[in-house]
Amino acid sequence: MKVITVTNRKGGSGKTTVSVHLAAGLATRGFNVGIIDTDSQGHNALMLGLPQENSLYRVMIEDSPLAEEVVIVPPDLYSTPDRLAEGQLFLLRGYDKTYKIPYDMDATAIFAFHDLCQRFGELAGLDFVIVDTQPTMSQFDGAVYLATDAFLYPTECEMLSIAGLTEAIEQMKAFNKHRERYLGSSTKILGIIPNKMRTNTVLNQHNISVLGHEFGIFDEGGLVMSPLRLLTVWGQACNERVPVYVFEPSGEAAIDAWRIVDNVEKRLKEWQGEIA
């Protein structure tokens, strides 16, 4: 099982959108996937048409049994019209108490989230755990970093989001030595996803070019993946609480969303066991 964390140090960069579409896409293709929502907004549940709950808080702080807090997402919520999902999708929901976890958690419990991911994987027979993160730093970050095998970084095509991306990557690199010490393995970077790209603006094209120059183009072995274009259908699908490739299966946004899944699968196959 692999733990993939979706993060950026700026709100609105598309973390939840990427988390849900990656998880649902992998489940559609036959993998068993779990999502853990560590953001107090609880938007993963909303995007999948489920009630918001403080399940993560109850498991980590109140010792609620994990099996009672994990929900199975009904396949009809993420299966495409021409393809019934071949795998299962599970969700451990976060909500308005999630921000309290690092304050109520034992300060020495650095392995707590790692252990939770492993138990989640064993409980549901998971191939992947997708972790959606909050944008602000907290004491919880170290526990999440320790549990993560690979990071995926969505970023808006704007200066402030790119700055948040750079900060997040530097934090990951700084923490890597602790993961190597405790677990004997390093965290890798799956890729960077430019999000909300306005295709007709020179500024967005320039900023993506800057990203490509700094981090390399994905198809050439680098990190910068194909962008998600800014299209109205993303908001329409969100209103209907379904992934965009369910709402408009043959549309441009659906094509962009499936590219995320394609690229993640491609990079994981390239690594072939290099991550724990």
Side-chain angles (χ1 to χ4, degrees), residues 14 35 55-56 89 141 177 194 255 275:
I35 304 175
S55 300
L56 180 61
L89 180 61
D141 288 354
K177 61 180 181 294
I255 293 171
I275 59 177

Side-chain angles (χ1 to χ4, degrees), residues 231-270:
L231 301 166
T232 303
V233 69
W234 287 105
Q236 294 171 326
C238 188
N239 278 358
E240 296 299 319
R241 299 191 177 190
V242 294
V244 71
Y245 44 71
V246 175
F247 183 80
E248 190 178 90
S250 59
E252 293 180 328
I255 293 171
D256 289 353
W258 280 118
R259 282 198 188 112
I260 297 174
V261 184
D262 292 339
N263 288 334
V264 167
E265 286 194 85
K266 177 183 177 181
R267 184 52 48 89
L268 289 173
K269 288 177 182 177
E270 290 173 351

Side-chain angles (χ1 to χ4, degrees), residues 192-213:
I192 297 166
I193 303 171
N195 189 25
K196 302 179 184 178
M197 179 189 179
R198 296 175 175 84
T199 56
N200 61 344
T201 65
V202 174
L203 178 61
N204 277 192
Q205 294 171 359
H206 169 75
N207 286 342
I208 290 177
S209 176
V210 169
L211 278 174
H213 179 75

Side-chain angles (χ1 to χ4, degrees), residues 3 38 65 82 130-131 134 138 146 158 165-167 212 228 234 247 250 274:
V3 179
T38 70
D82 62 343
I130 310 298
V131 181
Q134 59 184 350
S138 79
L146 191 67
E158 309 290 347
L165 161 73
T166 303
E167 180 183 351
L228 298 178
W234 287 105
F247 183 80
S250 59
E274 290 182 25

Side-chain angles (χ1 to χ4, degrees), residues 57-70:
Y57 182 88
R58 290 197 289 263
V59 169
M60 296 199 69
I61 304 303
E62 299 176 350
D63 295 323
S64 179
L66 181 61
E68 294 181 9
E69 299 292 350
V70 169

Side-chain angles (χ1 to χ4, degrees), residues 71-271:
V71 293
I72 301 175
V73 181
D76 61 293
L77 294 180
Y78 59 92
S79 296
T80 60
D82 62 343
R83 183 175 182 178
L84 180 66
E86 298 173 16
Q88 288 188 300
L89 180 61
F90 303 83
L91 176 61
L92 183 59
R93 291 169 285 185
Y95 194 32
D96 55 3
K97 285 187 177 180
T98 303
Y99 81 95
K100 296 178 62 179
I101 290 176
Y103 303 102
D104 295 345
M105 186 173 65
D106 185 338
T108 64
I110 190 69
F111 289 101
F113 191 74
H114 176 271
D115 293 342
L116 171 62
C117 290
Q118 299 307 308
R119 287 193 289 128
F120 193 5
E122 293 169 4
L123 173 70
L126 301 181
D127 299 293
F128 301 100
V129 171
I130 310 298
V131 181
D132 184 17
T133 60
Q134 59 184 350
T136 55
M137 291 184 66
S138 79
Q139 294 169 306
F140 197 29
D141 288 354
V144 172
Y145 282 19
L146 191 67
T148 300
D149 296 307
F151 281 96
L152 192 59
Y153 294 96
T155 178
E156 290 183 86
C157 305
E158 309 290 347
M159 181 193 68
L160 293 180
S161 189
I162 292 172
L165 161 73
T166 303
E167 180 183 351
I169 290 177
E170 289 305 313
Q171 289 169 357
M172 182 276 289
K173 291 179 178 178
F175 197 83
N176 236 344
K177 61 180 181 294
H178 299 293
R179 194 174 200 272
E180 291 172 349
R181 175 185 175 187
Y182 291 120
L183 298 179
S185 60
S186 298
T187 299
K188 289 180 172 285
I189 300 176
L190 271 170
I192 297 166
I193 303 171
N195 189 25
K196 302 179 184 178
M197 179 189 179
R198 296 175 175 84
T199 56
N200 61 344
T201 65
V202 174
L203 178 61
N204 277 192
Q205 294 171 359
H206 169 75
N207 286 342
I208 290 177
S209 176
V210 169
L211 278 174
H213 179 75
E214 182 172 355
F215 296 105
I217 302 301
F218 186 84
D219 289 339
E220 299 172 1
L223 297 178
V224 182
M225 297 180 174
S226 301
L228 298 178
R229 289 166 284 184
L230 183 63
L231 301 166
T232 303
V233 69
W234 287 105
Q236 294 171 326
C238 188
N239 278 358
E240 296 299 319
R241 299 191 177 190
V242 294
V244 71
Y245 44 71
V246 175
F247 183 80
E248 190 178 90
S250 59
E252 293 180 328
I255 293 171
D256 289 353
W258 280 118
R259 282 198 188 112
I260 297 174
V261 184
D262 292 339
N263 288 334
V264 167
E265 286 194 85
K266 177 183 177 181
R267 184 52 48 89
L268 289 173
K269 288 177 182 177
E270 290 173 351
W271 288 343

